[in-house]
Amino acid sequence: MAVTSKRLLLSDIVSFDKIKEIPSNYIRPISQRPNLQDVVHDSIPLIDLHDPNRQHVIDQIGQACRDHGFFQVTNHGVPESTITNMLQIARDFFNLPEEERLKLYSDDLNKTTRVSTSFNVKNEKIASWRDFLGIPCYPIEDYIHEWPTNPPSFRDHAAEYCRSVRVLALELMEVISESLGLDKDYICGQLGKHCQQMALNYYPPCPQPDLTCGLPAHTDMYVITILLQDEVPGLNVMKNGRWIAVDPVPNTFIINIGDQVQVMSNGKYKSVWHRAVVNRDKGRISIPTFYSPSSDAVMGPAPQLVTDDEPALYNQFAYGEYYDKVWNNGLDKSFDTFMSETNNSNDDAPNPSQPFS
Ligand code: OGA
Ligand code: NI
């Protein structure tokens, strides 16, 4: 019999209850199980961001956005020590005693800095095999007072990391704009007051990794995601209807474009389905940085990319409406559901790709 636990965080269920079977609320229906034996090990493009031939960087990123929606970057400007320290404070945080981690626990989505588990524990039927700490990180001065003070170096190291990753995010948005033939400041200029958030994800070891997911298949609702992962594999990306495992490469970041770039590019670039799978033996840490617009920013296809031959695929909407829908409807329904509702006057809207087909 599967057990249930009163503990709030998954890592404590795993470590205290020493479960051999996962609790029943983590078991996914057969159609959503990861079929780990079918995952192919493959790679996504690895791009040197400071190749002296800038046009070459722009072309490679454009191609990666069209073909994969994902790429990795080296020579990205974030110092190795900043990355090492960030991973270390994330490990140290999740190794803190339960009562210390629970100080920031909340299932209230309106709380900006919080520790929680799964995705949205308030309304989901099936839980995801992860705990996380979510922190807003831009402007840092507005939020740093909310961040954990334990481990003691948390604020210093996390602030240094966030500042450095923001520079990278701005640079990537410029290159992505240029790769679409837009002014380099185009994407930056559409976001209103910029938002940067970071999640520190911890996926504990799982006795039955075939039955559950760390994060189920989803697209990212933001503009771009900059993912740092430790040495334990777990990220799967959808390519031509198959899941491919993207194994970690030290000191690189994995970049993916989010739903807002799909909209701004008028569908030229796709926000691609991905998921996190878990494994029996090793806990895994991943640290995505999400760069997004403010709630009142209006999203829509760039006018320069709308022509008689390529009419607008999406109507305009306020980013906040979209964000609320995703958090309330669940990760797996996000883009398709929202666009079909927002586009109900547009019968030519494309039939969006589905992760399970
Ligand atoms: C995410 C995500 C993947 C990972 O947080 O949106 O897709 O490997 N994470 O943790
Ligand atoms: Ni994601």
Side-chain angles (χ1 to χ4, degrees):
M1 265 288 287
V3 288
T4 51
S5 171
K6 293 210 162 43
R7 295 191 184 273
L8 289 170
L9 294 176
L10 175 65
S11 29
D12 300 312
I13 299 178
V14 172
S15 60
F16 287 106
D17 298 347
K18 304 232 179 316
I19 49 173
K20 300 230 162 36
E21 290 181 351
I22 65 175
S24 51
N25 58 319
Y26 288 90
I27 302 180
R28 292 200 167 261
I30 289 175
S31 66
Q32 291 180 18
R33 290 191 192 162
N35 289 322
L36 297 172
Q37 71 286 351
D38 294 341
V39 175
V40 199
H41 284 259
D42 200 348
S43 59
I44 51 178
L46 180 64
I47 297 170
D48 174 351
L49 212 50
H50 288 124
D51 182 325
N53 181 346
R54 185 171 162 80
Q55 190 55 48
H56 185 50
V57 177
I58 296 171
D59 294 344
Q60 282 178 289
I61 289 189
Q63 174 113 29
C65 289
R66 272 189 301 275
D67 295 351
H68 299 264
F70 267 81
F71 52 94
Q72 301 172 88
V73 287
T74 56
N75 224 341
H76 43 61
V78 181
E80 198 173 323
S81 58
T82 307
I83 292 178
T84 311
N85 289 339
M86 186 63 229
L87 283 167
Q88 190 58 47
I89 55 171
R91 271 184 214 110
D92 292 347
F93 181 81
F94 289 109
N95 278 329
L96 291 171
E98 182 183 21
E99 69 274 10
E100 193 61 30
R101 277 170 289 128
L102 286 177
K103 282 183 180 162
L104 286 168
Y105 184 87
S106 173
D107 58 15
D108 177 359
L109 303 186
N110 294 316
K111 194 150 181 291
T112 44
T113 294
R114 67 189 181 110
V115 167
S116 194
T117 190
S118 188
F119 180 67
N120 181 358
V121 285
K122 270 196 167 156
N123 73 359
E124 66 201 0
K125 292 201 181 64
I126 303 171
S128 294
W129 197 263
R130 84 161 175 157
D131 289 337
F132 65 93
L133 162 66
I135 61 176
C137 18
Y138 181 75
I140 289 189
E141 303 67 46
D142 290 358
Y143 299 108
I144 195 165
H145 64 278
E146 301 177 359
W147 294 3
T149 48
N150 198 357
S153 57
F154 188 96
R155 289 185 180 177
D156 284 349
H157 287 329
E160 188 186 318
Y161 180 81
C162 292
R163 288 198 180 97
S164 201
V165 166
R166 179 161 187 269
V167 174
L168 174 60
L170 296 176
E171 187 173 344
L172 287 165
M173 290 190 296
E174 283 189 8
V175 179
I176 293 170
S177 300
E178 285 180 273
S179 74
L180 285 163
L182 302 168
D183 186 83
K184 73 178 170 44
D185 297 322
Y186 181 82
I187 294 178
C188 266
Q190 298 303 305
L191 310 185
K193 182 173 162 289
H194 292 196
C195 295
Q196 181 183 346
Q197 287 160 285
M198 178 159 72
L200 281 60
N201 291 323
Y202 175 59
Y203 303 101
C206 175
Q208 295 173 297
D210 290 310
L211 302 184
T212 192
C213 274
L215 272 178
H218 65 281
T219 64
D220 286 354
M221 65 188 105
Y222 314 94
V223 174
I224 53 170
T225 304
I226 299 179
L227 179 79
L228 172 64
Q229 51 177 345
D230 71 3
E231 68 294 343
V232 181
L235 175 67
N236 290 178
V237 175
M238 178 61 82
K239 169 95 173 128
N240 297 332
R242 299 197 71 173
W243 287 111
I244 63 172
V246 180
D247 292 334
V249 181
N251 290 313
T252 65
F253 290 102
I254 294 177
I255 315 296
N256 64 297
I257 55 163
D259 300 344
Q260 307 315 316
V261 170
Q262 177 163 338
V263 170
M264 285 186 259
S265 74
N266 198 26
K268 287 189 166 41
Y269 293 172
K270 295 281 183 305
S271 176
V272 164
W273 290 90
H274 56 283
R275 66 184 186 183
V277 297
V278 291
N279 74 82
R280 217 175 276 280
D281 309 312
K282 289 191 174 140
R284 169 170 181 258
I285 285 187
S286 78
I287 307 177
T289 292
F290 306 112
Y291 212 83
S292 52
S294 44
S295 313
D296 57 352
V298 175
M299 296 289 107
Q304 300 87 320
L305 301 179
V306 176
T307 60
D308 287 345
D309 292 338
E310 294 175 298
L313 296 180
Y314 313 106
N315 292 334
Q316 291 191 327
F317 56 89
Y319 176 69
E321 278 174 52
Y322 185 62
Y323 185 87
D324 291 346
K325 275 262 165 63
V326 175
W327 278 94
N328 293 323
N329 284 356
L331 273 180
D332 51 340
K333 305 200 200 67
S334 53
F335 194 74
D336 305 352
T337 315
F338 182 84
M339 288 305 162
S340 59
E341 288 167 6
T342 312
N343 272 339
N344 53 13
S345 60
N346 180 358
D347 293 335
D348 295 331
N351 197 7
S353 58
Q354 285 290 340
F356 312 109
S357 49

